[in-house]
Amino acid sequence: MTQRTFAFIFARGGSKGLPGKNIKELGGLPLLAHGIRLAQSMDRIERVFVSTDDAQIAAVAMQFGAEVIDRPAALATDTASEWMAWQHAIDHVRALGLNFDVFLSLPATSPLRSAEDVGNCLDALQADVD
């Protein structure tokens, strides 16, 4: 049985350490675009969502073909729980009537991961590893 895998990238605005980091260019692409392109390049990933509270990040996400989830400001603070942002994204996707088996989080701040690494993680899940 084939599992439906959706990729989620969480990119909030308001970084204090490096303002605008998620849309700053790295290697000629906005940081956020690396994760989007990686997910799009993998046949095993059906859809790519970016959860953000920031209009500029949302615009970049859409420019690169991701679907945007508008994250509430309360879930985009320095102290907000990542788990709650994940839950919000899952609830949003389900409210659209979409079902999936695998929630794949691809942090925007890890642009150098490879499709092979992500594939190995997905393979491990299919081998009954959490």
Side-chain angles (χ1 to χ4, degrees):
M1 179 175 125
T2 303
Q3 293 189 324
R4 296 187 73 194
T5 301
F6 289 179
F8 295 84
I9 300 169
F10 295 85
R12 67 181 186 87
S15 171
K16 291 180 177 69
L18 183 58
K21 72 179 172 196
N22 290 308
I23 55 175
K24 287 196 181 297
E25 284 199 8
L26 175 69
L29 290 175
L31 183 63
L32 174 67
H34 291 273
I36 295 170
R37 286 210 168 156
L38 172 67
Q40 291 169 335
S41 75
M42 298 184 67
D43 291 337
R44 298 165 72 172
I45 298 174
E46 285 188 39
R47 296 176 87 145
V48 182
F49 295 90
V50 171
S51 169
T52 189
D53 63 316
D54 185 272
Q56 288 181 306
I57 292 171
V60 170
M62 288 185 288
Q63 175 188 347
F64 283 89
E67 300 175 64
V68 173
I69 298 170
D70 292 320
R71 189 179 343 169
L75 297 179
T77 66
D78 287 341
T79 59
S81 161
E82 185 174 12
W83 171 253
M84 294 304 293
W86 286 8
Q87 193 63 50
H88 175 264
I90 291 167
D91 290 344
H92 173 85
V93 168
R94 287 184 177 154
L96 295 175
L98 301 172
N99 294 308
F100 61 95
D101 303 298
V102 177
F103 172 98
L104 175 64
S105 176
L106 296 174
T109 54
S110 299
L112 302 180
R113 79 191 137 234
S114 69
E116 180 182 10
D117 289 337
V118 174
N120 287 337
C121 289
L122 292 172
D123 289 343
L125 273 177
Q126 294 185 6
D128 295 326
V129 175
D130 184 8

